[in-house]
């Protein structure tokens, strides 16, 4: 049908534009109180998120809060966190879905209808009711509507109505062809292609008199309108059926609805109606047709064609579009503003000379207000004051002049022009002294500035000397002293001179003066008092001790919350901020306060930390500065219904086998407690909470009784897995907490795990019997073993004796070998010592002979020079004695003895191998064995070097050595 509407819509783009502009003109000219300046927060669900078809044809909500969507791909279920798609056996599109009190979800599709119900595991399954119809009546085409009435369930297709009651079916064919049907005030109305609007009553179709004029119109919805009926059509707008006649609903919204084709409509409450169009999204009006909210793609919808609508139990509006699903939070005093786009982050706002000014990080934007116009009505197309492009910190009207604190300096704004009066960078704030109202003290990045009033207005007089700290939060006290809090240091009290151009005294207060911390101290003025707010609570100045003390009154006033900033507005309401949350204490007529925090929970994290600000337009309209511009708050609007909030166990899986144990429906306790085999002792629980307002803020806490000793901490975790549980009884418990800190009741799921077979009673009986049999066998074996051992013991003792004897013998041999080894080591050590003695003796002999030979040579030289014969004779005698000493056979025998002690085997071996060797040659072999050089051999043997060479030559001959073979190496190898 939707495609028929599109093909029938043949108007030109120009006519559509003219009609829409006429709609806007009618809105502006209407004298009614209109509120199309704002629009609700919206949550879009894309196909990629819910993983189903593009189009949603009908929406229904079960008594437990679960939402069901008739979708192109089947029945779509949503629990606030998880989407679940239930397909149909023939992949048919589901056009209608209706939940009833018995927990079933009735659906209509192509040539079939029936219901979804949970099986023993909680998994939804489709059960067809087509078998209730006679075989020839089972061609039902597509079911487009389902109604629950006192007569039973009514399924409406194009060619018939089917009434199901107590498992019986009645069929009522269409007079010609049905379009849609509607259930209004316990009455069923159907639209017939030829007969028009009919009332179905007790099996009969009764013509609704007076509606003949609408026969050729495509009727899309019928709504209650007081005692009358409102009838919407695709191309011809809205009509009222009153006193059996049709009256056009000519209102400010009429042309817009005609132009953009109404596809569906629902009543929100007694005074509000929502229209879903094909071309231009959603329009909400009051009963008089005054537009209240208009939503299309430009306002956040992902598609302009609205196919279905549903008001949920929280009073918020669900939309099924031609491509996706949307949730509009219409039941909230918090709304977005239509003029936010393109203006940046909001820091400050004010109204001056009938002009609204908005200060943002992109500059000052302005919009002129019309005379009697609702201040926020049709506020759009804000324009930038060109000179203020950049960061704006504050806007403040003082004595008829609008001051603008800017990153560039200080401006005076007059209508759409800004005049720079001070180029001192970073003008934070402006404070007018009550004692000297002609003076204004400005706080900047680099200290204080002075402005004084002259005939033309306030003029900049220069910087105030003696204080150069960044000064953003300032207030005068009752004594005209200026107090300033620095976010990273502490608090200053500044006393100015008479001309206010210099600081004559500066007092500093930090943790050494009473504060619990030096950081994050914010100075505010509340109820005519200076209050210092920090993360550790509220403080006030104690003049008696010149120190800061905790403020008993304001700490109690703020319920001992860690309020870090606050603001008192022009009406005496006190706005306060705790971490990323905002709340307000609205002052009542009796001077007491009403604390409101719930509506603002959805804004958590939307504020610019440290720069929170609220501007009261009037007592019903407040502008709240945020990161995305400005948010509207209307304290007169309260939640019409309490939000249903309940925990939900969506699925339980057996981890080891990936099999489903439970697929969720809402319940308090499971009656049939499952008993699991020990092999299935790893379980994965999935849970959720039915909360469609900021579901990402929902936290859960769980505990497995029988395993956990305490509840888990609150966390945004939607599943919990337990592995390798022991046998026993368990109760899984889960609870949820939303952003309002509301907690659900505990949901419990009981189950038990059987012990493994090895720990069952049968196993223990088997173990006992086996133990007895084994015991008997052991006794028999022990007896046999004893006899065997007695026989074997003798052999064993004998073997042990023999082994002992052998071991003693081996130990004796080992001891003997050890003695021999020690003896050999001793001999080797003695030989080593003798070798040293031999070497030392040999060297002494060599050195002695060298000395004697040298002495002999000198004496022979002296003798040749002597003249006296007697002296010569004595000299020659001495020379002979020297020769005798050199050739002393006794010295050689000593050498030979030492050599024999060390190298006896050598001498024996060489004599045996070379018997022809002479004693002289043997002596030469001994010298070579000692590795003595030829020169040393000559000294030892008292021969010349040539004689040594000759002796070596003769020895080589005796040993028959080759010329190439080294004589010394050969001797050393023997």
């Amino acid at each position: 049908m939707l495609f028929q509407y599109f093909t029938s819509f043949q108007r030109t783009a120009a006519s559509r534009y003219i009609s829409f502009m006429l709609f806007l003109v009618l809105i502006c000219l209407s004298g009614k109180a209109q509120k199309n300046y704002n629009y609700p927060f919206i949550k879009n669900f894309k196909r990629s998120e819910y993983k189903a078809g593009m189009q949603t044809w009908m929406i229904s909500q079960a008594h437990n809060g679960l939402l069901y969507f008739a979708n192109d791909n089947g029945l779509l279920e949503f629990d606030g966190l998880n989407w679940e798609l239930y397909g149909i056996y023939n992949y048919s599109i589901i056009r209608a879905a209706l939940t009833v009190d018995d927990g079933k979800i009735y659906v209509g599709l192509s040539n079939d209808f029936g219901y979804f119900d949970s099986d023993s595991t909680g998994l939804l399954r489709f059960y067809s009711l087509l078998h209730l119809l006679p075989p020839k009546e089972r061609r039902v085409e597509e079911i487009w509507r389902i109604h629950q009435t006192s007569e039973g369930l009514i399924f409406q297709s194009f060619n018939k109505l089917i009434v199901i009651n107590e498992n019986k079916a009645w069929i009522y064919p269409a007079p010609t062809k049905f379009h849609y049907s509607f259930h209004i005030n316990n009455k069923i109305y159907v639209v017939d292609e030829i007969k028009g609007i009919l009332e179905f009553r007790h099996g009969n179709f009764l013509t609704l008199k007076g509606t003949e004029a609408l026969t050729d119109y495509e009727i899309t919805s019928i709504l209650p309108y007081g005692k009358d009926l409102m009838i919407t059509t695709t191309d011809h707008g809205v009509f009222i059926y009153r006193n059996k006649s049709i009256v056009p609903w000519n209102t400010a919204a009429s042309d817009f609805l005609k132009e953009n084709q109404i596809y569906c409509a629902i009543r929100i409450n007694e005074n509000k109606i929502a229209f879903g169009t094909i071309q231009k999204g959603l329009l909400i009006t009051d009963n008089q047709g005054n537009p209240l909210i208009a939503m299309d793609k430009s306002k956040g919808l992902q598609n302009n064609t609205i196919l279905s609508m549903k008001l949920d139990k929280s009073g918020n509006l669900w939309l099924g579009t031609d491509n996706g699903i949307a949730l509009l939070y219409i039941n909230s005093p918090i709304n977005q503003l239509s003029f936010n786009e393109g203006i940046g982050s909001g820091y400050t706002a004010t109204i001056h000379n009938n002009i609204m000014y908005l200060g943002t990080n992109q500059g000052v934007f302005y919009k002129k207000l019309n005379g009697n116009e609702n201040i926020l009505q049709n506020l759009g197309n804000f324009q930038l004051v060109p000179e203020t492009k950049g960061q704006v910190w504050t806007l403040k009207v003082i004595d008829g002049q609008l001051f603008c604190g800017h990153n560039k300096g200080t401006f005076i704004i007059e209508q759409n022009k800004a005049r720079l009066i001070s180029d001192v960078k970073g003008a934070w704030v402006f404070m007018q002294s009550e004692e000297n109202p002609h003076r204004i003290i400005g706080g900047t990045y680099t200290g204080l500035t002075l402005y004084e009033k002259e005939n033309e207005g306030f003029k900049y007089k220069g910087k105030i000397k003696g204080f150069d700290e960044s000064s953003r939060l300032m207030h005068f006290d009752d004594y005209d002293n200026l107090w300033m809090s620095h976010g990273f240091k502490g608090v200053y009290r500044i006393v100015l001179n008479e001309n206010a151009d210099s600081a004559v005294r500066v007092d500093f207060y930090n943790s050494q003066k009473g504060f619990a911390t030096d950081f994050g101290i914010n100075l505010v003025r509340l109820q005519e008092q200076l209050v210092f707010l920090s993360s550790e609570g509220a403080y006030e100045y104690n003049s008696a001790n010149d120190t800061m003390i905790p403020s008993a009154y304001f700490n109690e006033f703020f319920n001992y919350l860690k309020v870090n900033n606050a603001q008192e507005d022009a009406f005496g309401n006190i706005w306060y901020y705790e971490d990323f949350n905002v709340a307000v204490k609205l002052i009542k007529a009796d001077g007491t306060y009403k604390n409101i925090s719930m509506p603002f929970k959805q804004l958590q994290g939307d504020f610019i930390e440290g720069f929170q600000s609220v501007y009261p337009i009037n007592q019903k309209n407040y502008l709240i500065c945020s990161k995305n511009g400005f948010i509207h708050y209307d304290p007169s609007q309260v939640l019409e219904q309490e939000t249903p909030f309940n925990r939900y166990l969506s699925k339980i899986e057996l981890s080891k086998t990936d099999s489903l144990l439970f697929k969720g429906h809402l319940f308090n306790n499971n009656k049939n407690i499952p008993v699991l085999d020990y092999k299935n002792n790893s379980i994965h629980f999935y849970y959720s909470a039915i909360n469609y307002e900021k579901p990402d803020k929902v936290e859960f806490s769980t505990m497995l009784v029988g395993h956990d000793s305490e509840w888990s901490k609150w966390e945004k975790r939607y599943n919990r897995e337990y592995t390798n549980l022991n046998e026993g009884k368990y109760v899984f418990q889960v609870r949820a907490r939303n952003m309002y800190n509301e907690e659900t009741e505990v949901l419990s799921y009981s189950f038990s795990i059987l012990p493994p077979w090895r720990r069952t009673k049968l196993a223990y009986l088997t173990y006992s019997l086996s133990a007895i049999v084994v015991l008997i066998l052991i006794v028999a074996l022990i007896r046999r073993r004893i006899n065997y051992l007695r026989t074997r013991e003798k052999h064993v003792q004998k073997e042990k004796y023999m082994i002992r004897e052998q071991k003693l013998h081996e130990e004796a041999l080992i001891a003997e070998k050890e003695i021999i080894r020690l003896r050999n080591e001793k001999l080797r050590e003695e030989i080593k010592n003798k070798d040293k003695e031999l070497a030392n003796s040999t060297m002494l002999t060599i050195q002695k002979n060298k000395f004697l030979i040298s002495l002999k040579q000198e004496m022979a030289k002296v003798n040749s020079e002597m003249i006296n014969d007697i002296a010569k004779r004595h000299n020659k005698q001495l020379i002979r004695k020297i020769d005798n000493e050199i050739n002393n056979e006794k010295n050689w025998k000593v050498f030979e003895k030492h050599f024999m002690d060390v190298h006896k085997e050598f001498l024996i071996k060489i004599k045996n191998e070379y018997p022809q060797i002479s004693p002289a040659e043997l002596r030469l072999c001994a010298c070579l064995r000692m590795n003595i050089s030829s020169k040393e051999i000559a000294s030892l043997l008292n021969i010349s070097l040539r004689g040594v060479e000759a002796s070596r030559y003769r020895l080589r001959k005796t040993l028959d050595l080759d010329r190439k073979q080294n004589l010394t190496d050969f001797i050393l190898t023997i």
Side-chain angles (χ1 to χ4, degrees):
M1 293 301 296
L2 176 61
F3 302 106
Q4 296 176 13
Y5 297 148
F6 282 134
T7 55
S8 66
F9 184 62
Q10 300 294 329
R11 299 185 181 181
T12 64
S15 65
R16 290 198 300 270
Y17 176 78
I18 293 171
S19 297
F20 183 64
M21 292 305 296
L22 178 60
F23 164 67
L24 293 179
V25 171
L26 287 171
I27 290 176
C28 295
L29 294 179
S30 173
K32 306 291 184 181
Q34 301 173 15
K35 291 185 181 179
N36 54 339
Y37 55 84
N38 59 6
Y39 53 97
F41 285 92
I42 185 172
K43 169 65 177 176
N44 284 308
F45 300 93
K46 298 181 179 180
R47 289 186 62 198
S48 59
E49 185 172 354
Y50 61 75
K51 295 179 176 60
M54 292 172 54
Q55 297 166 320
T56 296
W57 300 98
M58 191 172 178
I59 307 171
S60 184
Q61 187 174 25
H63 70 282
N64 56 21
L66 291 175
L67 283 165
Y68 293 94
F69 303 83
N71 186 265
D72 283 350
N73 290 159
L75 180 67
L76 193 59
E77 180 188 73
F78 184 49
D79 63 12
L81 289 173
N82 307 298
W83 294 90
E84 188 78 28
L85 179 66
Y86 297 95
I88 301 295
Y89 63 93
N90 61 359
Y91 304 103
S92 174
I93 297 173
I94 294 182
R95 301 288 189 182
L98 178 70
T99 61
V100 296
D101 294 339
D102 62 2
K104 297 177 181 178
I105 305 99
Y106 289 87
V107 296
L109 48 149
S110 178
N111 280 320
D112 203 350
F113 65 99
Y115 62 91
F116 280 89
D117 197 7
S118 57
D119 60 13
S120 59
T121 65
L123 183 67
L124 287 182
R125 299 187 182 278
F126 176 71
Y127 301 91
S128 176
L129 295 175
L130 194 64
H131 65 278
L132 298 179
L133 304 183
K136 62 180 180 180
E137 296 289 347
R138 291 179 183 174
R139 182 174 180 80
V140 296
E141 297 186 353
E142 287 189 303
I143 303 293
W144 281 86
R145 292 287 189 271
I146 306 173
H147 309 289
Q148 185 178 18
T149 70
S150 58
E151 297 183 11
L153 284 168
I154 298 179
F155 296 82
Q156 177 251 312
S157 70
F158 287 145
N159 60 2
K160 65 187 69 173
L161 290 184
I162 303 170
V163 179
I164 304 294
N165 193 3
E166 296 181 354
N167 212 31
K168 295 181 180 179
W170 291 266
I171 300 172
Y172 301 93
T176 53
K177 185 176 183 181
F178 288 142
H179 185 200
Y180 287 144
S181 60
F182 310 96
H183 188 194
I184 310 296
N185 296 329
N186 297 320
K187 295 181 179 180
I188 296 294
Y189 298 96
V190 291
V191 180
D192 187 77
E193 193 175 66
I194 302 298
K195 299 289 186 178
I197 301 176
L198 307 173
E199 179 185 349
F200 178 71
R201 189 190 303 170
H202 305 303
N204 300 308
F205 295 104
L206 306 177
T207 302
L208 199 63
K209 295 181 179 180
T211 61
E212 295 83 0
L214 303 179
T215 301
D216 295 330
Y217 297 169
E218 291 184 278
I219 296 172
T220 56
S221 62
I222 300 177
L223 306 175
Y225 191 74
K227 296 182 179 180
D228 306 320
L229 295 178
M230 173 180 281
I231 301 172
T232 68
T233 66
T234 304
D235 299 308
H236 299 87
V238 182
F239 299 89
I240 303 299
Y241 179 65
R242 179 181 297 140
N243 298 327
K244 298 183 180 181
S245 62
I246 293 294
V247 180
W249 196 54
N250 294 322
T251 65
S254 296
D255 287 346
F256 174 84
L257 295 173
K258 289 178 184 178
E259 181 68 24
N260 293 292
Q261 299 182 292
I262 303 171
Y263 187 82
C264 56
I266 64 169
R267 178 165 287 282
I268 295 175
N269 55 36
E270 293 181 358
N271 192 44
K272 291 181 183 178
I273 307 165
F275 298 93
T277 72
I278 295 175
Q279 307 293 337
K280 204 64 177 176
L282 173 75
L283 178 67
I284 297 178
T285 72
D286 59 16
N287 274 346
Q288 291 71 43
N290 297 310
L292 302 177
I293 297 173
M295 297 286 293
D296 57 15
K297 290 185 70 173
S298 68
K299 297 297 187 296
L301 285 180
Q302 56 187 332
N303 190 273
N304 275 345
T305 300
I306 310 299
L307 302 178
S308 57
M309 294 188 289
K310 174 66 177 179
L311 199 68
D312 68 16
K313 297 179 183 296
S314 301
N316 294 314
L317 186 62
W318 289 83
L319 305 178
T321 75
D322 197 44
N323 186 9
I325 296 169
L327 170 59
L328 273 62
Y329 297 99
I330 63 172
N331 187 24
S332 172
I334 302 292
N335 292 285
Q336 303 179 81
L337 290 166
S338 60
F339 51 75
N340 275 334
E341 187 173 354
I343 68 173
S345 299
Y347 281 81
T348 182
T350 191
I351 295 175
H352 179 55
N353 292 336
N354 207 35
I355 298 176
M356 177 173 282
Y357 295 94
L358 305 175
T360 75
N361 66 323
Q362 297 183 14
V364 176
F365 293 83
Y366 72 97
K367 171 74 175 181
K368 189 172 183 179
L369 306 175
N370 295 327
N372 297 323
E373 180 182 33
N374 183 312
I375 288 179
L376 288 180
Q377 178 187 333
N378 294 324
L379 278 182
N381 301 320
F382 270 74
Q383 296 181 358
L384 175 69
V385 178
E387 297 84 359
T388 66
K389 189 175 182 181
Q391 177 65 61
V392 176
W393 297 119
T394 186
L395 293 171
K396 188 171 185 179
V397 178
I398 304 177
D399 287 358
Q401 285 188 291
L402 177 57
F403 281 75
C404 171
H406 197 281
N407 181 62
K408 297 177 182 177
T410 302
F411 291 89
I412 295 293
I413 299 179
E414 298 169 349
Q415 295 191 4
N416 61 347
K417 300 291 183 182
R419 174 168 49 90
L420 185 67
I421 64 171
S422 169
D423 61 357
V424 179
K425 302 295 184 184
W428 290 117
V429 66
F430 306 99
M431 299 303 302
Q432 185 179 27
S433 170
E434 292 185 5
E435 296 290 330
N436 299 286
H438 64 286
R439 291 176 182 165
I440 294 176
I441 306 299
T444 71
Y445 295 166
T446 55
L448 305 175
T449 53
L450 175 63
Y451 304 86
E452 289 189 351
K453 191 172 185 180
E454 298 180 355
N455 294 332
E456 298 83 6
F458 284 96
K459 300 293 184 180
Y460 173 61
K461 294 299 181 180
K463 293 194 67 176
I464 296 175
K465 299 176 182 178
F467 190 79
D468 56 4
E469 295 287 349
S470 177
S471 306
R472 186 170 71 87
L473 300 175
M474 301 192 311
H475 285 284
F476 282 102
D477 64 15
D478 295 337
Y479 303 99
D480 210 33
N481 298 317
L482 187 64
W483 291 80
M484 189 278 289
S485 63
H486 192 290
F488 299 99
K489 295 182 179 180
V491 175
Y492 295 88
R493 179 175 61 182
I494 307 157
V495 180
L496 303 177
N497 63 4
E498 186 176 353
N499 296 324
D501 59 2
S502 178
V504 297
R505 177 179 160 189
V506 177
D507 298 320
F508 181 58
Y509 302 85
N510 61 0
S511 56
Q512 297 180 1
K513 281 283 192 174
F515 286 118
T517 178
D518 295 341
F519 303 101
I521 301 172
N522 289 325
L523 169 62
V524 297
R525 192 174 188 88
L526 304 176
Q527 299 177 355
E528 302 299 324
Q529 296 183 51
L530 295 184
V531 185
F532 305 91
L533 301 175
S534 74
S535 60
E536 301 301 322
Y539 290 81
E540 59 186 31
Y541 175 63
N542 184 344
S543 59
N545 299 323
D546 189 33
T547 186
M548 298 292 173
I549 61 174
S551 174
Y553 172 77
F554 281 104
N555 280 316
E556 182 180 1
F557 181 80
F558 290 123
N559 297 319
Y560 298 95
L561 297 173
K562 303 303 182 183
V563 175
N564 48 36
N565 203 353
Q567 169 193 351
E568 185 172 359
D569 65 31
F571 302 110
N573 305 309
I574 295 179
W575 299 79
Y576 62 95
Y577 308 89
E578 179 196 12
D579 293 331
F580 301 102
N581 295 309
V582 62
V584 62
K585 288 184 176 289
L586 293 177
I587 192 167
K588 297 189 289 186
D590 60 0
T592 59
Y593 292 88
K594 177 183 179 182
N595 190 74
I596 297 177
S597 61
M598 289 297 185
F600 307 108
K601 294 289 186 180
Q602 60 182 300
L603 302 179
Q604 188 180 56
D606 287 348
F607 304 108
I608 305 169
E609 188 174 2
F611 294 91
Q612 302 97 329
S613 180
V614 176
Y615 177 70
I617 296 174
N618 52 47
Q619 290 183 315
K620 289 188 177 182
N621 296 286
Y622 291 81
L623 290 183
I624 302 175
C625 299
S626 76
K627 294 177 182 178
N628 299 314
F630 296 87
I631 296 170
H632 173 254
Y633 169 60
D634 180 3
S636 65
Q637 183 177 351
V638 296
L639 297 178
E640 296 180 0
Q641 299 182 37
E642 293 184 0
T643 303
F645 181 53
N646 215 335
R647 67 282 183 271
Y648 179 67
L649 192 59
S650 55
K651 184 170 60 174
I652 304 175
E653 288 182 344
L654 302 177
S655 302
K656 292 182 178 179
T657 59
D658 288 331
S659 58
L660 184 68
L661 177 63
F662 175 84
K663 183 66 179 72
H665 56 80
L666 200 67
F667 66 102
N668 290 322
N669 289 289
N670 53 320
K671 296 180 180 179
N672 299 321
I673 299 177
V675 179
L676 306 177
D677 292 334
Y678 188 76
K679 64 180 180 180
N680 293 320
N681 64 345
S682 295
I683 305 179
H684 203 158
F685 296 90
Y686 297 84
Y687 40 84
S688 179
I690 300 176
N691 180 68
Y692 303 112
E693 188 174 5
K694 293 286 185 179
D696 57 323
K697 303 292 184 183
V698 176
E699 297 177 320
F700 296 89
S701 178
T702 62
M703 180 171 67
L704 183 62
V705 179
H707 179 272
D708 297 332
S709 59
E710 59 183 14
W711 285 89
S712 67
K713 64 179 182 179
W714 290 102
E715 55 186 343
K716 296 173 184 176
R717 179 180 176 183
Y718 312 131
N719 62 85
R720 185 80 183 270
E721 185 174 16
Y722 296 90
T723 59
N724 298 321
L725 294 173
N726 291 325
E727 64 269 21
K729 295 181 179 180
Y730 295 93
V731 180
F732 177 75
Q733 296 181 329
V734 60
R735 58 186 179 179
R737 181 175 69 181
N738 62 17
M739 65 179 181
Y740 302 123
N741 286 327
E742 295 177 336
E743 292 186 20
T744 65
E745 294 180 356
V746 175
L747 175 64
S748 299
Y749 182 86
S750 300
F751 64 96
S752 63
I753 297 176
L754 293 174
W757 187 88
R758 63 180 180 272
R759 290 202 289 268
T760 61
K761 292 181 179 179
L762 179 60
Y764 288 128
L765 178 60
T766 304
Y767 299 152
S768 300
L769 293 176
S770 300
I772 293 172
V773 172
V774 169
L775 183 61
I776 294 171
L777 292 174
I778 290 174
V779 170
L781 288 173
I782 289 174
R783 288 178 177 177
R784 184 177 179 182
R785 184 70 174 171
I786 289 172
N787 294 330
Y788 171 78
L789 290 176
R790 286 175 179 173
T791 305
R792 182 70 178 165
E793 182 65 22
K794 295 179 180 180
H795 299 286
V796 170
Q797 292 299 326
K798 185 177 181 179
E799 288 178 359
K800 285 182 178 180
Y801 176 79
M802 295 177 66
I803 292 171
R804 179 63 179 170
E805 288 292 321
Q806 184 178 358
K807 186 176 181 180
L808 290 174
H809 180 70
E810 290 175 354
E811 289 177 352
L813 291 176
I814 292 171
E816 185 177 352
K817 287 181 181 179
E818 182 65 16
I819 292 170
I820 294 171
R821 184 185 67 79
L822 293 174
R823 187 180 298 165
N824 290 337
E825 285 185 358
K826 183 178 179 182
L827 292 174
R828 281 194 294 271
E829 188 65 26
E830 289 177 354
I831 292 172
K832 184 177 180 181
N833 292 333
K834 289 180 179 181
D835 192 35
K836 289 181 180 180
E837 290 178 2
L838 175 63
N840 292 335
S841 174
T842 303
M843 293 306 298
L844 288 173
T845 302
I846 291 171
Q847 293 298 324
K848 184 195 75 171
N849 288 350
K850 283 183 178 180
F851 173 76
L852 291 174
I853 290 170
S854 175
L855 182 62
K856 174 184 175 182
Q857 290 174 352
E858 290 293 327
M859 292 179 69
K861 185 178 178 181
V862 171
N863 190 58
S864 63
E865 294 177 357
M866 286 183 178
I867 300 175
N868 192 313
D869 292 336
I870 296 173
K872 284 184 177 182
R873 190 168 52 248
H874 284 293
N875 195 34
K876 287 181 179 180
Q877 289 177 353
L878 292 173
I879 292 173
R880 283 194 295 273
K881 288 182 178 181
I882 292 171
D883 286 337
N884 292 333
E885 183 63 27
I886 294 171
N887 295 322
N888 192 345
E889 188 68 23
K890 182 180 178 180
N891 293 335
W892 177 253
K893 288 183 178 181
V894 172
F895 171 80
E896 189 174 29
K897 177 181 180 300
H898 287 302
F899 188 85
M900 284 294 290
D901 289 341
V902 178
H903 301 287
K904 182 178 181 180
E905 294 179 357
F906 168 76
L907 294 174
I908 295 172
K909 186 177 180 181
I910 197 168
K911 285 181 181 180
N912 292 333
E913 292 184 5
Y914 303 98
Q916 71 275 17
I917 193 167
S918 67
E921 290 173 339
L922 196 61
R923 289 181 179 179
L924 180 59
C925 288
C927 293
L928 293 175
R929 182 73 175 186
M930 293 289 293
N931 202 18
I932 301 173
S933 65
S934 295
K935 188 176 181 179
E936 291 172 336
I937 294 172
S939 297
L940 183 64
L941 300 180
N942 195 24
I943 59 176
S944 64
L945 286 173
R946 185 180 296 277
V948 172
E949 294 298 327
S951 297
R952 290 172 66 96
Y953 177 77
R954 287 192 297 271
L955 180 60
R956 293 177 66 90
K957 289 287 188 180
T958 301
L959 300 176
D960 195 23
L961 294 179
D962 188 7
R963 181 175 297 179
K964 296 181 180 180
Q965 193 169 4
N966 186 279
L967 176 60
T968 302
D969 292 343
F970 176 77
I971 293 300
L972 292 174
T973 59
I974 295 174

